[in-house]
Structure formats: structure tokens, C-alpha cells
């Protein structure tokens, strides 16, 4: 039949959808009943209908024609329909703020609620300038909000609806709301943000969704390309809400999905939605409600993030109530993969990895005593180096398979991270997992097969700043190449979540002006001669601006006035039963002065100068015999809460001479104006030239662009 194109703007989103459906190949499918087409044509050409009436009539027609409904569902699943808010029409009703509730079922009827029902500024929590991530679920056809006290139905389609703007009481995030970190964005007219939805329970699209956040007011979606020169749309062309189709799991049980909001690869904020899925929708107890929580915020403070180089990919790690871990990998063009790791499986793999790293420099003699396998200047012979490389590559490949268990996932990861990349790791707040990302090895390994040393990657004349193997195209199974490790090929940053008032993502440690100063906290039970040489070298590097402490009380007093750098050159000890938190190494300075991480929580008001000085903290643990999966994480979080700009620490205990050399290399690079990411890579490269792979044992919990002085963005 002949159709007539209506040149006027659609009166509501459902009319925009129906026009798009009529223009698609679904319209002419033999599945669609002729009577249904005629009814839809009549609906489109009835100018007397209000937006609410149009939506009601459309629902009646869809539910009355089985073939049409099936085709409509297929149409809504298509990728081009992911941004259905980006239609030329502004919604005629607000699909969030509640109006009169209908009976039965206590559903929210949004059709009768106008924009006047939105919360006023006086009703908002926080200041008028605060903006928040709002999130809820709706039924696709009615656009009614799914009440939080209902379970979801197996296999049913829903829409995840979100925006950034005023905090709305009915948002699933209202109770855990944190101001959206829009201060991270430069004060331009606004910024395009990318939204990723990931789940290993719900069926979701892997494509990126885009919304625009203006300098003031709420976000919107529109048809303008994010990489275009600017907006050509008019206000009435924009939609206020981003709508993402999701399909509930095919089996009953708990289900989760994650939503990540990013700018140029920097993960700004993330949230987790949890629901209970059952054969049919019913009311449920409070413990099974649909709920959501903000679980990562890059920073609520100010920094010109738009000036930083974009990140190639982001990996987000979260933990479920059963102890399992979920890993979401997000690339420049969309979500790469999502997978779940068992708690015991992960702990076993990490313990194996740390033992392998320890074995690089620590052996055991016939008397059962630990001995250092490195030479006096931390070298290894060529033969020993190749043996270490093969052993660690095998462990690193196991880690790669752990985070990408399926072939398609590994191929997708290589597609994103095949070359040198900027990789951001985001760890859910409160999650206790220290994963050795630098040790991940993505060249395939088959145990028992002959190793093939990579001649080009092992060339001792390669420049120190090399990040990619010149012979990467020739890598095969069991190719032994240092650049198969992520720690040599990528810049890896792990900025902790910062949600406390006044915190910010620091890009400059300390004062950021003048000559940096350092406070050293050291052990007196390490080798005295090596300690003396090391501290003297640091004092020379810092031009004498160094204070040295071996007592806990004196150190606490000294740190009242925050320096630029705080350096722990000390032992790590096993927690004392009943007195210190289990599972974490405890810092020990002097002879026996222990500083458990929980003691640092009491320093928040006393060390008030840290709030604006934000020193960089380096934890260099020598001869720590009890390293476990969460060795330094409690300190990384504790110092972050105290407003430290970053925390650098070892994944394992290291020999004292090696600890000394890494620290000297790292601090020297920072003093020369390099970023933390660049400084850490230079230390790894220097050790690599000595046949030493233990540079991979150091991790930075901060932005890789952090520096001691303002500098051009790098790393």
C-alpha cells in the first residue's frame, strides 16, 4: 500500500519510533498483518490525538496483532534503535517524577505528569550546581517506570533510562547519589560523554551510547555526531533521556548490570544495578528489590581532564555478594567483553603469580634460608633472564586467559590492546583485589612446547622508551618477548575511587612549585650500610630537602605539614591476631614501630595540610615475607582518603638493593619532570636491560599523568 510521508515533527517519541518502523524493511514483512498496517497509518494521520493518547492507541494496536508485535520487537532490538531518545521530538511527559498512581499495582502513570512536576531547585539535595546520574528501568511500550519492589520477568525486554541533571527522588541511585564529576570537564560549552552498559546476566548491546552534557543544566541526546564540529540540532530536536534496551536473563535468580560514563576513555562514574529475575513479575521483599548504587567516582573535585590524553581502554572490576569478581573491558568504540571470576579461582591465580615473581630474585639454600639470586647491581645472566622470561610469560598467559577465558574475548582484547596503549583500571569502592596487570602476557603459550626467543624484542640496543616490539608481527605461539607483558607495552593507571568531599584527581603532587621535598620513614633493621647509601643518594637527588624518621610518633608529627613526597623504606609484617586487620601487610619502621593502615584513619583532621598539598606516597617493602593478594591495597585506600595524590607500591617483597635502585630511578625521573606513568616505565626499562623483570612488581594507584610539577599532559 502507498504511504504518505508526514513532514511535521512527531508529537512524541512513540510517533518517532513508528515513523522509523514504517520506513524500515519490517513494515513490508509478510509477518505484519495488513489490518495492522492500516491501523497504524490511521494512527499516524490522526492530528487530534495528544501524545498520551497516541501512545495508548499504539499499545492497543501492537497487542492486537501478533505478527506486528513480533516485528516491532525485532525493530527495537536493532542497533540504530539504541538511541531512541535521539529523535527529533522532545518527550511530552517526564518519565521519572511520579504523579498520581494507578490501581492496581501502584504503577506510575507518567502520561499525566508534565515538566512542572519535576523537582525544583529548592527540593534538590546539594547545591544548585550539583548534577547527578539518574537511573531507572521502564517497560518499553508504556514507558512506565518499573517499580523497585517488583522482580523482573525471565526474558522480558526493558529499557534502562538515564540522564545527568537534578537528583530525582525516584532514581534508583537517589540513596547512593554522588555529584557527577562534571568539574573534571573543562569549562567549555559542554562535552560529549560515552555510556557503556555491560552485563554477563542481561542481554545488552556492546555499542557505545552518547549523550551531551552542557556546561549547565541536564544532559540530552540528539542526532549530532559526537565527533562533529558542533551542534546543528535545535532544542526541540533533543531528547532528555538516554534509553538502552536490555533483556532480562533466561533463567531465574539474581542479575546485575553495570553502567559506565566516560569522557575520552576516562571513566568518570559507574553504577551497578541489581535485580531479581523470576518466571513472572511480582512484588518482592526488600532484599530482592531492583536497586542501584554508585560504586566508582574518579573524583568529585576539579582537574582539567579534557587536556589529558585519551585512554585507549578501561577495565572495571567489581565484586558480587557471593565473592565473585566481574571484569568489564571497554574500548574506544564499545564494550569489548564482560566475564565473571570465582573468588577462589582468582586468589589461586594471584598467589601463583606472586610466587613466580618472588622466584625471580629469591631462592632457598640447602639450609632453608632465603637467598638473593641477583648480582650486587641487580643483574641476571642471559641464561637466567631467558628462564625467568619463559616462566613469567607462562604465568602471565594464565592471567590473560583468566580475564578473557573465551577465544572471542581474547581476540577482542588484542584488537583494542594489540599496540602500545593507555589503560585505565577502575576498582569498585571497597573491593579488596590487587591484580598484577603489568604481568599479564598476551602472546599465546602452550606448556611443554619449545620457546622461541624474540630476537628483535630482546635486542639490548632498543631505546629505553620502547613500548612495542619491532618484530611483533612475527610473534607466534611460545614467542618469548618482554613486550608481550602489558607492563612494558602499556601505560597502566589505577586511580582509586574518590568520593570524599574536597577530594580531587591530582595531576600535581605536593605544592607543585619550587623544589620538591621528601619525608622518609625507614626501618632500622635493614642492612645499615645499604640504607645509609640509599638515603644519602635520595638526599642528594632532592637537594638536601629530605627529613628522615625511624619512630612512629616523630613521623606522625612530621607529616602534619605535608611534604611533596612521602617515602616508606621499610619492612612489611604479618598482622598481629586480634590487633590488626587480617590479610594485609603492616608497615614497620624503626626497630618495631608498626603502622597498621587503620591508624591512618585517625590522621584525617591532624594531617589537614594533605587536603591541599596531596603528597605522593611510595611504599617500598623490603624482604616482606607474607605478601598476599591484598598486600598494600589497604594503604592505597587509606592514603587516598587522606588526599594523597597517589600511592606507589610493590606487588611482592623485594631485595633491599633492588628496592633502592627502583626508588632512585623512579624519583629521578619525576624530578626531571616526567609523569608517574613515564617514570615507572623508565625504571622497568632500566632493569630490563640488566636482564631483570622485577620492574613488573611495582604498581601505581593514581593517574599515570601525575607529576611533581605542572607539565604538559603525558602518560
Amino acid at each position: 500500500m502507498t504511504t504518505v510521508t508526514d513532514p511535521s515533527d512527531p508529537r512524541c517519541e512513540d510517533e518517532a519510533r513508528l515513523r522509523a518502523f514504517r520506513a524500515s524493511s519490517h513494515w513490508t514483512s509478510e509477518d505484519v498483518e495488513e489490518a495492522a498496517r492500516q491501523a497504524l497509518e490511521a494512527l499516524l494521520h490522526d492530528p487530534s490525538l495528544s501524545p498520551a493518547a497516541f501512545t495508548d492507541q499504539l499499545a492497543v494496536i501492537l497487542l492486537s496483532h501478533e505478527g506486528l508485535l513480533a516485528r516491532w520487537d525485532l525493530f527495537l532490538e536493532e542497533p540504530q534503535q539504541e538511541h531512541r531518545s535521539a529523535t527529533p521530538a522532545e518527550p511530552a511527559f517526564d518519565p521519572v517524577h511520579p504523579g498520581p498512581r494507578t490501581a492496581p499495582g501502584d504503577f506510575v502513570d507518567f502520561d499525566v505528569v508534565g515538566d512542572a512536576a519535576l523537582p525544583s531547585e529548592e527540593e534538590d539535595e546539594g547545591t544548585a550546581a550539583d548534577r547527578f546520574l539518574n537511573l531507572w528501568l521502564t517497560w518499553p511500550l508504556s514507558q512506565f517506570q518499573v517499580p523497585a519492589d517488583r522482580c523482573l520477568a525471565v526474558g522480558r525486554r526493558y529499557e534502562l533510562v538515564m540522564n545527568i541533571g537534578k537528583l530525582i527522588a525516584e532514581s534508583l541511585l537517589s540513596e547512593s547519589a554522588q555529584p557527577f564529576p562534571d568539574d573534571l570537564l573543562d569549562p567549555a560549552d559542554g562535552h560529549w560523554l560515552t555510556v557503556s552498559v555491560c552485563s554477563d546476566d542481561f542481554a545488552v548491546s556492546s555499542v557505545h551510547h552518547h549523550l551531551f552534557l552542557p556546561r549547565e543544566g541536564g544532559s540530552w541526546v540528539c542526532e549530532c555526531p559526537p565527533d562533529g564540529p558542533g551542534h546543528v540540532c535545535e532544542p526541540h530536536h533533543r531528547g532528555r533521556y538516554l534509553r538502552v534496551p536490555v533483556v532480562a536473563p533466561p533463567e531465574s535468580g539474581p542479575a546485575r548490570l553495570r553502567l559506565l560514563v566516560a569522557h575520552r576513555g576516562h571513566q568518570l562514574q559507574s553504577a551497578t544495578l541489581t535485580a531479581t529475575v523470576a518466571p513472572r513479575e511480582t512484588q518482592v521483599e526488600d532484599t530482592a528489590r531492583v536497586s542501584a548504587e554508585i560504586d566508582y567516582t574518579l573524583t568529585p573535585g576539579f582537574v582539567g581532564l579534557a587536556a589529558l590524553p585519551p585512554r585507549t581502554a578501561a577495565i572495571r572490576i567489581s565484586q558480587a555478594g557471593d565473592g565473585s569478581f566481574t571484569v568489564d573491558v571497554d574500548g574506544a568504540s564499545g564494550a569489548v567483553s564482560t566475564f565473571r571470576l570465582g573468588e577462589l579461582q582468582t586468589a589461586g591465580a594471584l598467589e601463583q603469580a606472586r610466587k613466580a615473581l618472588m622466584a625471580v630474585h629469591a631462592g632457598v639454600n640447602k639450609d632453608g634460608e632465603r637467598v638473593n639470586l641477583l648480582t650486587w647491581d641487580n643483574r641476571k645472566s642471559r641464561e637466567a633472564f631467558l628462564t625467568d622470561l619463559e616462566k613469567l610469560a607462562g604465568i602471565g598467559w594464565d592471567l590473560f586467559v583468566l580475564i578473557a577465558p573465551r577465544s572471542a574475548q581474547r581476540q577482542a582484547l588484542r584488537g583494542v590492546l594489540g599496540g602500545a596503549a593507555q589503560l585505565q583500571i577502575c576498582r569498585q569502592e571497597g573491593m579488596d583485589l590487587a591484580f598484577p596487570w603489568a604481568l599479564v602476557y598476551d602472546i599465546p603459550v602452550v606448556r611443554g612446547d619449545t620457546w622461541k626467543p624474540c630476537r628483535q624484542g630482546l635486542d639490548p640496543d632498543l631505546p629505553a622508551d620502547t613500548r612495542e616490539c619491532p618484530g611483533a608481527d612475527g610473534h607466534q605461539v611460545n614467542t618469548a618477548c618482554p613486550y608481550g607483558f602489558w607492563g612494558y607495552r602499556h601505560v597502566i593507571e589505577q586511580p582509586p575511587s574518590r568520593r570524599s568531599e574536597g577530594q580531587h584527581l591530582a595531576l600535581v603532587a605536593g605544592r607543585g612549585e619550587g623544589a620538591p621535598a621528601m619525608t622518609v620513614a625507614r626501618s632500622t633493621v635493614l642492612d645499615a650500610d645499604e640504607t645509609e647509601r640509599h638515603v644519602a643518594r635520595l638526599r642528594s637527588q632532592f637537594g638536601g630537602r629530605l627529613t628522615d624518621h625511624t619512630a612512629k610518633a616523630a613521623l606522625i608529627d612530621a607529616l602534619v605539614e605535608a611534604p611533596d613526597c612521602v617515602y616508606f623504606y621499610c619492612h612489611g609484617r604479618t598482622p598481629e591476631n586480634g590487633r590488626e586487620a587480617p590479610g594485609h601487610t603492616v608497615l614497620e619502621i624503626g626497630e618495631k614501630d608498626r603502622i597498621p593502615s587503620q591508624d591512618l584513619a585517625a590522621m584525617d583532621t591532624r594531617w589537614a595540610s594533605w587536603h591541599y598539598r596531596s603528597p605522593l606516597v611510595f611504599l617500598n617493602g623490603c624482604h616482606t615475607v607474607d605478601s598476599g593478594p591484598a598486600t598494600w591495597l589497604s594503604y592505597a585506600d587509606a592514603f587516598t582518603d587522606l588526599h594523597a595524590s597517589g600511592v606507589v607500591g610493590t606487588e611482592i617483597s623485594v631485595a633491599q638493593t633492588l628496592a633502592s635502585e627502583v626508588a632512585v630511578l623512579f624519583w629521578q625521573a619525576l624530578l626531571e619532570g616526567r609523569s608517574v606513568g613515564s617514570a615507572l616505565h623508565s625504571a622497568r626499562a632500566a632493569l630490563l636491560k640488566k636482564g631483570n623483570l622485577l620492574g613488573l612488581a611495582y604498581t601505581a594507584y593514581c593517574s599515570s599523568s601525575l607529576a611533581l610539577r605542572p607539565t604538559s599532559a603525558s602518560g
Side-chain angles (χ1 to χ4, degrees):
M1 63 183 296
T2 303
T3 61
V4 180
T5 302
D6 185 353
S8 63
D9 287 336
R11 71 202 88 182
C12 61
E13 283 189 86
D14 282 321
E15 183 170 5
R17 286 192 184 95
L18 181 54
R19 291 187 188 183
F21 178 78
R22 185 179 58 178
S24 73
S25 59
H26 296 286
W27 180 262
T28 57
S29 169
E30 60 183 15
D31 295 337
V32 178
E33 299 87 350
E34 182 60 28
R37 292 193 189 93
Q38 294 176 3
L40 292 176
E41 284 287 1
L43 177 64
L44 285 169
H45 291 86
D46 186 348
S48 67
L49 294 177
S50 68
F54 184 97
T55 296
D56 288 342
Q57 288 295 320
L58 175 61
V60 169
I61 296 171
L62 288 170
L63 294 174
S64 302
H65 299 87
E66 184 176 349
L68 169 64
L69 182 59
R71 277 289 164 177
W72 180 262
D73 284 345
L74 290 174
F75 167 73
L76 294 183
E77 289 179 342
E78 292 178 350
Q80 63 266 30
Q81 296 305 314
E82 302 283 357
H83 303 278
R84 291 192 299 281
S85 291
T87 59
E90 178 73 3
F93 58 87
D94 171 30
V96 200
H97 201 267
R101 296 182 180 271
T102 60
D106 201 30
F107 297 149
V108 181
D109 184 355
F110 298 112
D111 291 281
V112 300
V113 183
D115 287 345
L118 281 168
S120 66
E121 288 189 10
E122 289 75 22
E123 293 173 315
D124 281 348
E125 297 182 15
T127 67
D130 286 340
R131 291 186 284 189
F132 299 86
L133 178 62
N134 293 296
L135 185 68
W136 59 94
L137 286 173
T138 66
W139 288 287
L141 292 181
S142 69
Q143 292 298 297
F144 292 169
Q145 182 179 9
V146 179
D149 63 352
R150 292 176 69 87
C151 64
L152 307 183
V154 166
R156 174 162 288 180
R157 295 177 177 85
Y158 299 91
E159 281 187 340
L160 184 67
V161 185
M162 63 139 313
N163 83 332
I164 297 168
K166 294 180 179 181
L167 180 61
I168 300 171
E170 286 66 41
S171 168
L172 294 173
L173 297 171
S174 60
E175 294 184 4
S176 67
Q178 301 172 30
F180 187 79
D182 50 8
D183 283 345
L184 285 169
L185 307 170
D186 283 350
D189 291 335
H191 294 274
W192 282 102
L193 305 179
T194 59
V195 177
S196 304
V197 179
C198 308
S199 180
D200 50 357
D201 297 320
F202 290 86
V204 297
S205 171
S206 63
V207 302
H208 273 162
H209 314 280
H210 300 278
L211 76 162
F212 188 79
L213 185 67
R215 181 162 46 183
E216 296 178 349
S219 62
W220 73 67
V221 291
C222 62
E223 294 180 327
C224 300
D227 55 355
H231 284 281
V232 296
C233 61
E234 299 178 21
H236 59 278
H237 294 159
R238 301 166 183 164
R240 297 173 58 193
Y241 307 101
L242 175 67
R243 307 178 189 276
V244 181
V246 300
V247 180
E251 298 180 356
S252 299
R256 297 194 308 159
L257 62 78
R258 277 83 54 200
L259 180 139
L260 298 83
V261 183
H263 175 63
R264 301 176 73 234
H266 296 268
Q267 302 300 305
L268 302 181
Q269 199 166 67
S270 69
T272 297
L273 181 146
T274 305
T276 298
V277 178
R280 59 184 298 271
E281 293 179 357
T282 57
Q283 282 193 317
V284 293
E285 301 295 330
D286 285 349
T287 55
R289 292 170 63 92
V290 179
S291 62
E293 182 179 15
I294 297 290
D295 53 24
Y296 181 86
T297 299
L298 185 58
T299 172
F302 174 81
V303 66
L305 189 63
L308 291 178
R311 286 358 184 190
T312 311
I315 294 178
R316 179 185 178 277
I317 316 167
S318 58
Q319 191 167 18
D322 61 1
S324 64
F325 300 100
T326 299
V327 180
D328 301 310
V329 183
D330 196 46
S333 58
V336 176
S337 60
T338 292
F339 38 89
R340 184 172 293 175
L341 307 176
E343 185 175 21
L344 294 178
Q345 171 195 24
T346 305
L350 299 188
E351 183 65 19
Q352 184 182 24
R354 285 181 173 81
K355 286 181 178 179
L357 274 174
M358 285 286 291
V360 170
H361 75 97
V364 179
N365 62 21
K366 61 182 180 180
D367 298 322
E369 300 171 331
R370 194 168 68 175
V371 295
N372 185 10
L373 302 179
L374 305 175
T375 63
W376 66 271
D377 62 346
N378 300 313
R379 293 181 183 273
K380 274 207 161 183
S381 68
R382 176 77 171 181
E383 181 181 1
F385 166 58
L386 289 177
T387 299
D388 291 341
L389 176 59
E390 293 166 5
K391 288 181 178 178
L392 287 183
I395 296 295
W397 172 252
D398 290 344
L399 294 175
F400 186 59
V401 173
L402 180 69
I403 64 173
R406 296 191 291 274
S407 175
Q409 293 170 335
R410 293 191 291 274
Q411 291 176 9
L413 266 180
R414 290 194 193 96
V416 174
L417 298 174
Q422 305 274 346
L423 179 59
Q424 186 182 81
I425 310 294
C426 304
R427 178 172 54 92
Q428 175 186 320
E429 288 179 5
M431 196 188 69
D432 213 10
L433 176 69
F435 196 93
W437 297 103
L439 191 58
V440 174
Y441 190 84
D442 56 14
I443 301 174
V445 173
V446 175
R447 295 294 200 285
D449 279 12
T450 302
W451 284 91
K452 309 170 189 66
C454 178
R455 180 179 59 82
Q456 291 172 283
L458 294 169
D459 184 352
D461 295 326
L462 281 177
D465 60 354
T466 298
R467 291 195 182 277
E468 293 187 65
C469 175
D473 290 343
H475 288 171
Q476 303 173 6
V477 174
N478 281 43
T479 294
C481 179
Y483 299 98
F485 291 107
W486 283 9
Y488 291 117
R489 197 166 78 242
H490 305 318
V491 174
I492 303 174
E493 63 178 7
Q494 300 192 52
S497 178
R498 296 174 183 264
R499 62 184 299 177
S500 300
E501 184 177 354
Q503 284 196 334
H504 61 281
L505 178 68
L507 297 184
V508 177
R511 294 165 296 178
E513 57 186 21
M518 170 185 279
T519 295
V520 176
R522 62 178 178 84
S523 170
T524 57
V525 296
L526 297 172
D527 181 85
D529 291 339
E530 174 60 26
T531 299
E532 183 178 354
R533 284 192 296 269
H534 182 49
V535 174
R537 179 69 182 275
L538 292 173
R539 182 171 282 109
S540 175
Q541 284 183 310
F542 280 81
R545 297 171 302 279
L546 181 149
T547 59
D548 180 16
H549 300 278
T550 59
K552 178 179 178 179
L555 175 67
I556 289 175
D557 288 341
L559 292 178
V560 168
E561 188 65 25
D564 302 284
C565 309
V566 180
Y567 177 49
F568 286 84
Y569 184 67
C570 60
H571 271 302
R573 297 300 192 192
T574 303
E576 294 180 354
N577 290 335
R579 294 185 57 196
E580 296 164 340
H584 298 277
T585 295
V586 177
L587 290 172
E588 182 184 270
I589 66 172
E591 186 174 353
K592 289 185 178 180
D593 269 5
R594 300 167 72 92
I595 309 175
S597 59
Q598 56 265 41
D599 282 4
L600 298 175
M603 298 295 111
D604 186 42
T605 56
R606 190 171 181 186
W607 291 354
S609 66
W610 285 51
H611 291 209
Y612 56 88
R613 285 275 178 90
S614 300
L616 172 60
V617 180
F618 192 160
L619 307 174
N620 217 358
C622 309
H623 289 302
T624 307
V625 297
D626 60 304
S627 58
T631 302
W632 294 121
L633 264 186
S634 60
Y635 289 96
D637 291 339
F639 280 117
T640 296
D641 285 343
L642 290 169
H643 296 252
S645 55
V647 179
V648 178
T650 53
E651 297 283 354
I652 59 167
S653 67
V654 295
Q656 185 179 354
T657 54
L658 177 64
S660 299
E661 181 174 3
V662 171
V664 167
L665 291 168
F666 177 78
W667 290 121
Q668 187 58 44
L670 283 178
L671 289 167
E672 292 171 355
R674 300 174 72 171
S675 67
V676 166
S678 177
L680 199 54
H681 184 269
S682 68
R684 288 174 178 160
L687 292 178
L688 181 61
K689 286 188 174 295
K690 294 182 175 184
N692 187 332
L693 295 167
L694 286 172
L696 298 173
Y698 284 82
T699 298
Y701 295 95
C702 59
S703 169
S704 62
S705 299
L706 177 66
L708 285 181
R709 298 185 184 89
T711 183
S712 58
S714 63

